[in-house]
Amino acid sequence: MFPPQIARRLLTAATVLLPATLTAQTTATFPTPDATLERIWRLGMDSSQVQRLGQVLLDSLGPRLTGTARQKAANDWLVSLYKQWGVEGRNEQTGTWRGWRRGHSHIDLLTPRVRTLEGTMLAWSPGTKRKDLTASTMILPRFADSTEFVRWLPQAKGKLVLVSAPQPTCRPTDSWNANATPASKARMDSLRADVTREWGGANVRGTGYSNALGTGSLGVRLEQGGVAGVITSRPKNAWGTIDVFETYNTTAPAVALSCEDYGLVFRLTENKQAPTLRLNLDAELLGEQPIFNTIGMIKGSEKPNEYVLLSAHFDSFDGGSGATDNGTGSLTMLEAFRLLTQVYPKPKRTIIVGHWTAEEHGLVGSRAYTEDHPEVVQGLHALFNQDAGTGRILNIGAGGLPNGGEHLKTWMGRLPTEFSSVVTARIPGSPAGGGSDDASFACYGAPAFGMGGTGWEYGNYTWHTNRDTFDKVVWDDLKHNATLVAMLAYLASEDATTITRERATAEQIAPGRSGPGAFAWPSCQKAPRSTNPRLR
């Protein structure tokens, strides 16, 4: 956590209302006069604080890996903001998760030539105690079965083992489509498919073990066999981006290299050119640590036991800054909540903002919240969830509830044309099935509205990658999103009637699907209250 004097400076930088950095917006066109909506527009579009809040969150506080001091510092920062804004804010412990401290990652090729390699530790990797670990490399061979793999293991003792697919190209598909001859493109497609089959799945190269999201059960078994470390790479289909996920190793460090540098080390090893790597990694495994949701609340004045919930997960992986997954969703809800504290301090229904922990590990925080707060699930009038990157919201789904769709149409009819003309209502929509935190509420049949928008190459460039940083955020789109969410929350809070929970039929939700592929309402899953390993 930050020393108190630094925390105070960060809080001041994020909350003092300074002149807006962006030019004033044109006046919005409202279908009917509404002083509250008009003020939300003015404050949200002309005096937005989302970029200043984002700079503190993404640059100073940084990524929010579950179970780390970085995440707890960010939780405490939110609580401080809410107190400064004059509303209730608190951290609620959901359980524990494995703790870890990330320090530096220095990875160098020493022979047959010297090069500093682009790479970093996987999350929760053991370090080298800030000492140099120098070792030669070995490629994981192809085995007939797991018995042959176990017999081979002594040969890997003291080696750095390469366990990921050697990509035949680090150029994205778009580059090949634009420039390659048809024959060359077809050959490359075939090569890529071959290496994916060979190195993927739950039985990597016949070992009987999986890399899962990083090194999985394979890394653990290699560690038991005495390897010096594990070298991985999960490149995206894009320039310069790799996934940076996790390991469950506790003594043998695991690192992720860029597509280019992994390919270099692989080819040197394959061609018996005696590559040697030096790793100097600073990390500390801290055991189970408490983890928290952060909750903000404005108590309802007329229907305090009915709830409007602004929802976004707050945790992230830490290869970048956790900017678009899900700093942008968190900032959207944070700024929307700030607008409501200023414009609508006495709502009819209670307005809650939920910053969920450990979404990346199975919706842990939001599932725990539904278990710990059944009264909120029972009284939930509307939940708005955002977890789709930095893009402008273009569609809102009614979550499979026809009456939720009727309310959504009414709200849309009150929005300014600048929003209603570009946002599509998906009615009845479908309940979220597990991809984000709205699923934790939708499985109970509660009104959970999911929001999607402009892609901005989210999947290839920023989702869980080393490039998910402040500069990838589109701040104009976040202003739009926060202002829109604040308006929807206000309109939902003012509703004269409560959304009913009759569910759409399977045919209404997924027309034409039958048999094994027929739609079924998702079931609720119990939240793990401590580290739940994903080894396969």
Side-chain angles (χ1 to χ4, degrees):
M1 293 178 61
F2 287 116
Q5 66 272 22
I6 297 179
R8 283 194 295 271
R9 288 201 296 270
L10 292 177
L11 181 60
T12 300
T15 56
V16 174
L17 300 183
L18 300 174
T21 57
L22 300 173
T23 57
Q25 304 292 312
T26 56
T27 302
T29 304
F30 288 88
T32 56
D34 188 307
T36 301
L37 288 176
E38 291 167 12
R39 189 159 181 239
I40 290 174
W41 172 271
R42 289 194 300 272
L43 287 177
M45 302 304 285
D46 295 346
S47 302
S48 173
Q49 297 299 302
V50 70
Q51 186 167 352
R52 294 187 185 90
L53 293 166
Q55 190 280 321
V56 175
L57 177 63
L58 304 178
D59 287 346
S60 294
L61 290 160
R64 300 155 306 283
L65 187 70
T66 300
T68 63
R70 293 291 85 212
Q71 186 186 48
K72 183 55 167 58
N75 290 133
D76 292 343
W77 173 71
L78 288 175
V79 172
S80 297
L81 285 176
Y82 292 143
K83 288 182 178 178
Q84 178 150 331
W85 296 345
V87 295
E88 179 184 344
R90 64 184 184 275
N91 291 328
E92 293 187 359
Q93 185 172 346
T94 65
T96 64
W97 211 258
R98 52 181 178 154
W100 187 62
R101 179 186 59 79
R102 178 187 284 277
H104 63 252
S105 296
H106 300 318
I107 309 168
D108 299 299
L109 176 68
L110 299 182
T111 62
R113 61 187 177 92
V114 174
R115 172 179 168 80
T116 295
L117 302 178
E118 182 183 2
T120 188
M121 285 180 287
L122 293 179
W124 294 286
S125 171
T128 63
K129 301 180 180 179
R130 303 186 188 180
K131 297 177 181 178
D132 290 347
L133 185 164
T134 302
S136 58
T137 59
M138 174 180 281
I139 296 169
L140 183 74
R142 153 57 69 178
F143 301 100
D145 53 34
S146 59
T147 301
E148 186 181 9
F149 166 62
V150 172
R151 286 199 302 266
W152 166 85
L153 269 175
Q155 299 179 48
K157 187 173 183 177
K159 303 288 188 181
L160 296 169
V161 182
L162 285 80
V163 300
S164 297
Q167 294 299 324
T169 179
C170 296
R171 289 182 177 275
T173 299
D174 287 349
S175 179
W176 283 87
N177 288 340
N179 298 290
T181 65
S184 181
K185 172 67 166 51
R187 178 174 175 275
M188 184 53 62
D189 288 346
S190 178
L191 288 171
R192 281 176 154 175
D194 287 346
V195 299
T196 299
R197 280 192 298 270
E198 176 67 12
W199 292 84
N203 184 24
V204 176
R205 307 215 84 189
T207 59
Y209 295 89
S210 170
N211 278 323
L213 289 178
T215 62
S217 60
L218 179 58
V220 172
R221 189 65 185 91
L222 288 168
E223 178 179 79
Q224 292 168 351
V227 304
V230 182
I231 311 296
T232 75
S233 184
R234 288 178 59 112
K236 297 281 199 176
N237 190 12
W239 294 107
T241 59
I242 58 170
D243 285 326
V244 182
F245 283 117
E246 61 186 3
T247 184
Y248 290 89
N249 291 8
T250 58
T251 57
V255 301
L257 295 182
S258 69
C259 180
E260 294 81 0
D261 281 344
Y262 184 85
L264 166 64
V265 175
F266 194 100
R267 293 188 301 273
L268 291 171
T269 309
E270 185 177 43
N271 289 287
K272 298 179 172 54
Q273 292 163 349
T276 303
L277 302 188
R278 178 178 62 204
L279 279 56
N280 191 303
L281 310 171
D282 176 27
E284 188 177 6
L285 295 165
L286 300 173
E288 290 288 307
Q289 298 291 319
I291 59 172
F292 303 87
N293 292 326
T294 300
I295 306 299
M297 181 181 295
I298 311 172
K299 196 71 173 176
S301 58
E302 295 183 17
K303 299 181 177 181
N305 296 324
E306 293 187 17
Y307 303 91
V308 176
L309 179 51
L310 312 184
S311 167
H313 77 86
F314 198 49
D315 66 307
S316 72
F317 281 102
D318 71 338
S321 299
T324 68
D325 188 20
N326 186 32
T328 47
S330 298
L331 289 163
T332 292
M333 300 307 167
L334 178 62
E335 171 70 356
F337 196 69
R338 183 188 72 85
L339 295 173
L340 292 166
T341 64
Q342 294 195 23
V343 175
Y344 190 54
K346 295 182 179 180
K348 287 186 177 180
R349 291 175 170 86
T350 296
I351 297 177
I352 297 172
V353 57
H355 302 278
W356 315 121
T357 188
E359 183 269 356
E360 299 289 3
H361 308 284
L363 315 185
V364 175
S366 56
R367 283 175 171 162
Y369 186 82
T370 63
E371 294 168 10
D372 296 344
H373 293 278
E375 78 284 358
V376 175
V377 177
Q378 181 179 355
L380 188 61
H381 178 64
L383 174 145
F384 301 100
N385 187 74
Q386 212 278 332
D387 182 19
T390 192
R392 187 171 298 232
I393 293 168
L394 298 179
N395 60 80
I396 304 172
L401 302 184
N403 189 246
E406 292 302 312
H407 282 253
L408 179 58
K409 284 194 292 187
T410 300
W411 304 333
M412 295 280 288
R414 300 279 303 280
L415 295 175
T417 304
E418 289 75 7
F419 289 160
S420 61
S421 64
V422 297
V423 178
T424 299
R426 293 184 286 108
I427 299 172
S430 62
S436 190
D437 293 290
D438 46 346
S440 298
F441 298 83
C443 66
Y444 291 96
F449 297 85
M451 298 182 287
T454 310
W456 286 99
E457 295 80 39
Y458 175 59
N460 280 335
Y461 277 98
T462 60
W463 184 50
H464 301 152
T465 76
N466 54 326
R467 303 290 188 242
D468 191 14
T469 48
F470 177 93
D471 55 287
K472 307 306 186 305
V473 178
V474 181
W475 298 105
D476 281 348
D477 284 7
L478 253 64
K479 286 202 311 177
H480 168 282
N481 294 349
T483 305
L484 172 61
V485 168
M487 289 182 177
L488 290 170
Y490 157 69
L491 292 168
S493 176
E494 289 286 304
D495 268 344
T497 60
T498 301
I499 295 174
T500 60
R501 300 192 178 188
E502 295 84 5
R503 300 177 181 182
T505 66
E507 181 63 22
Q508 289 173 313
I509 292 172
R513 282 170 49 184
S514 59
F519 170 80
W521 202 274
S523 59
C524 295
Q525 305 296 317
K526 190 171 178 60
R529 298 296 180 138
S530 60
T531 302
N532 185 31
R534 298 181 292 189
L535 294 172
R536 298 194 70 82

